Amino acid sequence: MARRIKDRGGFIYNSWLFAYRFNGGIEKIKSNKPESRWIRRAEQARGRNKGPDLPAVQWIGDEIESTVKTIFVVAGKVATTAKNLIALALGVPIISFQWIEACETAGERVDWIPYLLPSHNQPNPLALDPELPGILPLQMPDPMWGSQAYGVTVLRDILTHSPLLHRRILLNKPMALYLSDGCIQKLKDDSKEGKKAPSCSSPFAYLLLALGAQHVEAVEQHFHATDPTLLKYDIIVVSDAWFSDIIPKKSKANKGMNNALSTAIDKGALVISQSDLKLTIACGRVVKAPVSEKSSPTIDT
């Protein structure tokens, strides 16, 4: 399939990090300690002179292929991979391979909308509404995406592109924290120069930026955050493994983290798991899955 796309004038990015730069970076927590965090500050200025702020998500795709004016994710099936999640968060359409075949048959580019895939392969929590039974989550892209009227400026300004502002569901939750064991090394691996195809194996910091958060941190322990009390964060995403132990207060090993999260929740922070964030991206609204099997998902309106 890749060869067929290239033979017909298309270009393939093997990683989102070849198309977009998620502007944040690794910083040491203390100069004499090995611990570090990944951070994108709300005011991430460039250089000593504090010039123009770097955009949170910066188009760099034309650095390796200047002719690209639009971008799609082409997939064989629905899957919550890093590739698909980043596409959904940005608002880039995910379409079936059948679109490529239809273009080949027609001898020209055909409408991509009939080839949109569902945004998730699990039942939609929003479908618990009796008026929407059994519906899989749908993508909500800009229907004019890739039309003749569009140029590369849409890719450059994707976070402020007005038909996609409904995807920026964290604009009112600007301070975000991602908490997961091992995430820093994965983010370091993504930034290694010369890597053929960064895996984005820990995409959650990137997803928070794509969803509109202005300040994003990723840490491996809560006391590595710039605010160890966790009180300044509007949304905190916790790894599924920790979430299952901490939120129901089953674990005594993470007592400090549990206490900090409980206090943050009492002060109004939204604390969700990685799986919650995936559902949120699929549904286009903040969804918090139930902690117990008997309860229902809650939907932030």
Side-chain angles (χ1 to χ4, degrees):
M1 183 59 71
R3 174 54 59 191
R4 289 158 67 184
I5 292 172
K6 291 178 179 179
D7 287 347
R8 285 156 181 79
F11 183 82
I12 294 176
Y13 295 101
N14 293 320
S15 169
W16 272 115
L17 299 187
F18 292 153
Y20 281 102
R21 178 180 295 124
F22 295 85
N23 279 312
I26 302 292
E27 70 174 24
K28 281 195 172 184
I29 296 169
K30 294 182 180 179
S31 59
N32 61 339
K33 299 287 185 180
E35 293 86 358
S36 55
R37 60 178 160 247
W38 188 97
I39 187 167
R40 155 75 188 192
R41 288 183 168 83
E43 297 178 357
Q44 186 109 356
R46 177 167 42 198
R48 294 181 180 178
N49 297 326
K50 301 295 180 183
D53 288 350
L54 292 169
V57 180
Q58 181 181 0
W59 170 249
I60 58 171
D62 51 2
E63 293 179 6
I64 57 175
E65 180 49 62
S66 60
T67 63
V68 172
K69 294 183 179 179
T70 191
I71 191 169
F72 295 90
V73 170
V74 182
K77 61 180 180 179
V78 181
T80 53
T81 60
K83 176 182 69 175
N84 286 5
L85 288 169
I86 291 173
L88 290 169
L90 290 172
V92 173
I94 306 173
I95 54 180
S96 166
F97 284 124
Q98 293 175 342
W99 180 66
I100 303 295
E101 296 167 354
C103 292
E104 290 176 325
T105 300
E108 61 182 358
R109 184 165 141 175
V110 302
D111 185 9
W112 51 267
I113 292 178
Y115 301 93
L116 276 172
L117 293 171
S119 59
H120 200 282
N121 57 2
Q122 300 296 322
N124 188 346
L126 302 185
L128 295 176
D129 186 322
E131 296 181 2
L132 300 170
I135 295 175
L136 286 176
L138 299 176
Q139 295 182 58
M140 295 177 285
D142 174 6
M144 297 299 292
W145 185 265
S147 68
Q148 292 296 324
Y150 278 32
V152 73
T153 54
V154 173
L155 296 176
R156 290 176 183 153
D157 303 322
I158 194 166
L159 291 192
T160 56
H161 179 52
S162 56
L164 292 177
L165 287 182
H166 63 280
R167 300 302 303 177
R168 314 296 162 234
I169 55 181
L170 296 184
L171 282 174
N172 65 340
K173 293 178 170 56
M175 303 289 289
L177 176 70
Y178 174 53
L179 185 54
S180 176
D181 188 31
C183 66
I184 297 303
Q185 187 57 55
K186 293 176 182 177
L187 288 162
K188 286 180 178 179
D189 289 344
D190 281 349
S191 64
K192 286 180 180 177
E193 299 232 354
K195 194 166 184 179
K196 288 185 178 180
S199 64
C200 300
S201 59
S202 182
F204 297 96
Y206 310 148
L207 294 171
L208 292 167
L209 285 179
L211 292 173
Q214 284 92 59
H215 179 107
V216 175
E217 298 178 39
V219 297
E220 296 183 344
Q221 296 290 340
H222 75 282
F223 46 81
H224 292 168
T226 55
D227 178 12
T229 69
L230 308 185
L231 295 180
K232 79 174 183 180
Y233 304 103
D234 301 295
I235 181 169
I236 302 171
V237 180
V238 182
S239 70
D240 288 343
W242 282 350
F243 189 85
S244 61
D245 283 340
I246 294 171
I247 300 304
K249 299 184 179 180
K250 294 178 181 177
S251 173
K252 295 182 180 179
N254 292 309
K255 185 177 180 180
M257 186 187 305
N258 190 42
N259 290 339
L261 286 170
S262 296
T263 303
I265 291 170
D266 291 342
K267 296 295 184 180
L270 176 65
V271 177
I272 62 176
S273 68
Q274 291 177 181
S275 293
D276 291 336
L277 185 61
K278 292 177 182 180
L279 283 174
T280 290
I281 292 168
C283 297
R285 297 170 69 182
V286 177
V287 177
K288 186 173 181 180
V291 174
S292 69
E293 294 180 0
K294 296 182 180 179
S295 57
S296 300
T298 57
I299 301 168
D300 185 3
T301 56

